[in-house]
């Protein structure tokens, strides 16, 4: 049963967290391209919802790309709840719930979720709604980088398991 739980946990992490990490990373540069395509390049030309120019086919495609990337982040973030659920089940079966490496991983996972929900998704929504204030894409890129760094750290901790007595 432990191997099954671990397999589901790892597959869920790959299929749920991976797309969020990639789509979230693609969003800031795509948003910069959309904003630079507006007259004046400041992102305020078309008003809310028209960051790429209302009649411009390429601009509409770029805005559509942002919409799809944001949808991927939202939908897969919800699906990503499966990852810690099966992670807890696996850790319980392995008897490692009190291990320091796991506790740190849990804390970092919670922090990554907080960064996604409180910083990344709201900033993406604001950009999609035409709120391209000064430095918005830079702050979004920074939050996205932090989200990805947290997940990379959790992944390393899950693989290395420092101090684990369950074997490597």
């Amino acid at each position: 049963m432990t191997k099954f739980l671990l397999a589901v946990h790892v597959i869920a992490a790959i299929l749920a967290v991976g797309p969020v990490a990639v789509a979230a990373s693609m969003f800031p540069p795509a948003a910069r391209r959309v904003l630079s395509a507006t007259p004046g390049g400041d992102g305020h030309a078309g008003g809310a919802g028209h960051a790429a120019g209302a009649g411009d086919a390429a601009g509409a495609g770029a805005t559509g790309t942002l919409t799809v990337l944001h949808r991927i982040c939202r939908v897969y973030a919800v699906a990503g709840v499966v990852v810690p659920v099966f992670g807890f089940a696996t850790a319980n079966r392995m008897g490692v719930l009190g291990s320091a490496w796991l506790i740190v991983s849990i804390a970092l996972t919670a922090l990554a979720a907080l960064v996604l929900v409180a910083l990344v998704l709201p900033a993406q929504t604001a950009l999609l709604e035409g709120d391209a204030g000064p430095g918005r894409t830079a702050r979004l890129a920074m939050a996205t980088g932090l989200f990805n760094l947290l997940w990379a750290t959790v992944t390393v901790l899950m693989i290395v398991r420092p101090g684990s007595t369950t074997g490597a």
Side-chain angles (χ1 to χ4, degrees), residues 37-39 45-46 49-63:
T38 61
H50 293 49
D56 183 67
T63 302

Side-chain angles (χ1 to χ4, degrees), residues 40-154:
D42 63 358
H44 297 291
H50 293 49
D56 183 67
T63 302
T65 298
L66 292 178
T67 302
V68 168
L69 291 172
H70 181 58
R71 185 175 303 129
I72 289 168
C73 290
R74 281 191 344 261
V75 170
Y76 282 88
V78 172
V81 171
V82 170
V83 176
V85 168
F86 278 90
F88 274 113
T90 303
N92 188 40
R93 287 285 287 187
M94 293 175 68
V96 295
L97 278 174
S99 298
W101 64 269
L102 185 64
I103 293 167
V104 171
S105 294
I106 291 168
L108 293 176
T109 297
L111 184 57
L114 181 65
V115 167
L116 182 65
V117 171
L119 300 175
V120 174
L121 294 176
Q124 288 179 348
T125 301
L127 282 164
L128 283 170
E129 292 173 350
D131 181 11
R136 171 81 68 179
T137 57
R139 285 191 304 275
L140 174 58
M142 182 179 65
T144 301
L146 177 60
F147 171 77
N148 287 331
L149 180 62
L150 289 166
W151 274 115
T153 305
V154 169

